[in-house]
Amino acid sequence: MRADQQQTMCHQNVIELSNISFSYQQKPVLEHVQFAVRERDFVGLIGSNGAGKTTLLRIIVGLLKPDSGSVNLFGQPIGEFRDWNRIGYVPQKNVFNPLFPATVREVVMSGLYSRNKLFRRVTKADGIKCDEALHAMNIEDLAGKRIGQLSGGQQQRTFLARAMINNPALLILDEPTVGIDTETQQDFFHLIKHMHQHHNITFLMVSHDLEMIRSYLGEEPKGGSGKLKFYVKHSHEIEDCVETNLTHSLKDLRHSMEREKVGAGLGNNN
Amino acid sequence: MEIITSEFFQRALIGGILIGITAPLMGLFLVLRRLAMIGDTLAHVSIAGVALGFLIGVYPIGVGLVFALAATFAIEKLRKAYKSYAELSIAIIMSGGVALASLLFSMGKGFNVSVSGYLFGSIYTLDDTDLLLIGIVTVVVLIAVRMHAKELFLMTFDEDAAAVSGLPTRYFNFLISVLTALVISVSIKIVGALLVSALLTIPAACSLVIARSFQRSVITVVVIAEIAIISGLVIAGVWNLAPGGTIVLLLIAMLLLLLSVRRKFSA
């Protein structure tokens, strides 16, 4: 891709919601939701229980059909959208049974099993991608462990690695910090903030943790509908934007995180 | 001991070994998706089909298969009607199947004896058609699972993630249901409709105790089922016991053994 094309793409809408309404058994959950997520935005979707956060998320990824209104993903109507491997998805932590027999490696690999991979075999290159994702999330030592044996923070990193294995342009996180202790939450938030600042990824994160969202995205919501609020921070640095080698970015993630840590440590000593 | 070399026993062994591959394999997917009871339901509905088959003089397992397929669709429809109480649909279809079967039993008084063979299993009466059908189902299941192994894993582990990856989840749900119906309807003559769900669920229960990875649990369920089926058939043949019951009790014994061994390991 040429640099000038890349430039214009930097500002494209990744998600466009126009006039979305949805009701559960006659009870309206979402009414006329109107919002756009631009490339390299970090959007925090905040709302109390029952405000329709998860419903909206399910509509955005096509798991639910809205009663009215339309969803565009990467400029395409959702019905025509096929580039599902551009979207990484991190589910709520307690989505699976802790006894489920699957290793960390098997879970991370499953991020590759998209529609485009139907009827194709898993290749060596896929294995290498998996190793890179494991390394980036600092969980390569856990690759052979059963997912249920891991701590909450390690499970989060596993799901993040699964979401990152395709080098997605859009990362959707559904309440990723529910049921996890505060310290691990902060580590996790630090990690995704870093990813937002240094990688060409757009974030949509559903959360009820207003404090954490506000500390990064600012005090005032940029939009909202009913009890839902959208907090937005746009991280846009041209030099990152032009960077197209995302594989390199993923490989580099852990090193740059560690450099940051060392830097912060030195700062404290002074 | 000469029973082991007899022809009907050899047939039983072949049929049992084939079912020992497919039943626990489909059972693993069902158990991990919290649908363990579907096996039981489909088996009970199958029996109604078998009874109808005897009544109208059509190949009973074939009619049972059609009934099992119909039941999977009915369960899906009902599941949509009672979204948050999905297990309700299973209970309704199960009792509906038993009710229909008992009605059909009472209509054809003469065949009660042969139907009881399908309730408790009559593996020694497997004929060539039965074996052929079991063989075809085994091949179909193995091809489908081999072809879609990675998608079936993702569907089982996290159906939402599968949908977000653009996988046709409806197609895969349908595939799992149809394969399960196929396996159950050809299994009921071997262990019996009342016991078939043991063959689906207990190997999966064993693998949850010991297997760390999905790949290993696939192997584990088949190995455990085969051990129980082969040794169960031999034991039942030599001591003249009911084969289906022997196989199921062996499965339960293996599960208890694994549970106690694990407790010792972790203690």
Side-chain angles (χ1 to χ4, degrees), chain A residues 10 31 56 66 112 134 149 173 177 240 266:
Chain A
C10 278
E31 285 179 291
L56 186 60
L112 291 168
L134 288 168
Q149 295 174 312
L173 304 108
T177 54
D240 286 332
L266 286 176

Side-chain angles (χ1 to χ4, degrees), chain A:
Chain A
M1 199 176 292
R2 293 203 318 270
D4 53 333
Q5 275 177 320
Q6 188 73 37
Q7 286 282 333
T8 51
M9 276 182 65
C10 278
H11 301 279
Q12 80 159 336
N13 283 339
V14 173
I15 303 172
E16 268 177 84
L17 305 172
S18 6
N19 211 14
I20 300 279
S21 298
F22 187 86
S23 37
Y24 265 122
Q25 285 146 355
Q26 276 101 44
K27 196 176 150 246
V29 182
L30 302 170
E31 285 179 291
H32 312 292
V33 178
Q34 189 88 24
F35 197 73
V37 179
R38 279 181 309 158
E39 190 169 6
R40 298 219 57 186
D41 275 351
F42 192 121
V43 176
L45 177 54
I46 305 291
S48 51
N49 282 335
K53 301 181 298 254
T54 304
T55 304
L56 186 60
L57 202 63
R58 294 175 82 84
I59 288 174
I60 291 171
V61 295
L63 292 174
L64 281 177
K65 275 211 170 78
D67 297 336
S68 67
S70 65
V71 180
N72 277 17
L73 293 175
F74 296 95
Q76 276 179 310
I78 192 160
E80 291 162 29
F81 183 74
R82 290 288 172 269
D83 292 335
W84 292 104
N85 51 1
R86 293 181 77 182
I87 301 179
Y89 171 72
V90 180
Q92 289 192 13
K93 179 196 153 260
N94 45 5
V95 74
F96 68 96
N97 189 319
L99 274 180
F100 197 102
T103 59
V104 168
R105 193 179 178 83
E106 284 176 322
V107 172
V108 173
M109 282 294 272
S110 76
L112 291 168
Y113 306 160
S114 70
R115 194 189 186 96
N116 319 22
K117 197 80 183 159
L118 267 178
F119 303 109
R120 298 229 186 112
R121 275 170 182 277
V122 175
T123 60
K124 264 207 178 122
D126 293 336
I128 292 168
K129 274 190 192 174
C130 180
D131 289 336
E132 279 175 12
L134 288 168
H135 178 81
M137 291 300 138
N138 202 0
I139 50 171
E140 66 267 45
D141 297 340
L142 305 173
K145 285 234 186 245
R146 202 179 67 217
I147 176 92
Q149 295 174 312
L150 269 53
S151 73
Q154 291 167 334
Q155 286 175 4
Q156 259 179 345
R157 282 168 176 268
T158 304
F159 283 110
L160 201 53
R162 177 178 77 172
M164 291 298 294
I165 193 168
N166 276 320
N167 293 307
L170 170 64
L171 200 53
I172 296 177
L173 304 108
D174 185 4
E175 304 236 24
T177 54
V178 167
I180 286 166
D181 63 86
T182 323
E183 198 181 323
T184 314
Q185 278 186 27
Q186 276 164 355
D187 282 352
F188 183 75
F189 206 60
H190 181 70
L191 175 66
I192 55 173
K193 271 196 302 205
H194 179 97
M195 284 161 64
H196 178 229
Q197 282 154 6
H198 301 280
H199 297 262
N200 194 356
I201 303 173
T202 307
F203 284 80
L204 174 61
M205 180 161 128
V206 173
S207 179
H208 60 249
D209 189 348
L210 193 54
E211 221 174 289
M212 212 171 252
I213 291 286
R214 270 185 180 158
S215 71
Y216 185 51
L217 305 178
E219 292 292 322
E220 284 307 309
K222 294 272 159 52
S225 163
K227 283 181 272 178
L228 287 178
K229 303 261 180 298
F230 295 95
Y231 288 78
V232 184
K233 183 184 183 97
H234 187 70
S235 155
H236 193 92
E237 291 142 42
I238 294 300
E239 63 271 27
D240 286 332
C241 194
V242 182
E243 184 181 14
T244 50
N245 189 350
L246 286 166
T247 321
H248 176 74
S249 303
L250 184 57
K251 236 191 231 167
D252 206 37
L253 175 64
R254 186 162 143 198
H255 297 299
S256 60
M257 283 288 292
E258 276 159 7
R259 274 202 302 276
E260 206 169 84
K261 232 178 224 170
V262 172
L266 286 176
N268 288 342
N269 286 342
N270 288 340

Side-chain angles (χ1 to χ4, degrees), chain B residues 19-118:
Chain B
I19 290 300
I21 302 170
T22 53
L25 203 53
M26 292 320 295
L28 180 63
F29 291 120
L30 294 183
V31 167
L32 292 177
R33 308 182 78 208
R34 306 274 188 105
L35 295 171
M37 289 307 291
I38 275 192
D40 229 1
T41 306
L42 294 184
H44 284 81
V45 176
S46 266
I47 278 300
V50 167
L52 182 68
F54 274 112
L55 202 61
I56 59 175
V58 178
Y59 182 51
I61 292 183
V63 185
L65 201 155
V66 172
F67 269 53
L69 284 175
T72 60
F73 294 118
I75 291 170
E76 277 305 307
K77 280 265 175 268
L78 274 178
R79 258 160 67 119
K80 277 183 192 127
Y82 295 99
K83 260 179 206 152
S84 40
Y85 295 102
E87 70 274 18
L88 195 55
S89 66
I90 291 176
I92 292 169
I93 301 287
M94 168 132 63
S95 44
V98 176
L100 188 59
S102 66
L103 200 78
L104 291 166
F105 287 165
S106 67
M107 284 165 73
K109 294 180 182 75
F111 60 71
N112 279 1
V113 181
S114 25
V115 168
S116 82
Y118 287 84

Side-chain angles (χ1 to χ4, degrees), chain B residues 166-217:
Chain B
L167 289 184
T169 51
R170 266 220 211 126
Y171 162 76
F172 283 112
N173 277 324
F174 176 76
L175 184 74
I176 293 171
S177 302
V178 169
L179 293 179
T180 306
L182 288 177
V183 168
I184 284 171
S185 45
V186 299
S187 301
I188 55 173
K189 204 166 178 182
I190 293 188
V191 282
L194 299 178
L195 298 175
V196 71
S197 88
L199 210 49
L200 274 86
T201 53
I202 300 176
C206 292
S207 88
L208 286 185
V209 178
I210 50 173
R212 232 182 333 158
S213 70
F214 191 72
Q215 211 175 7
R216 279 215 200 140
S217 64

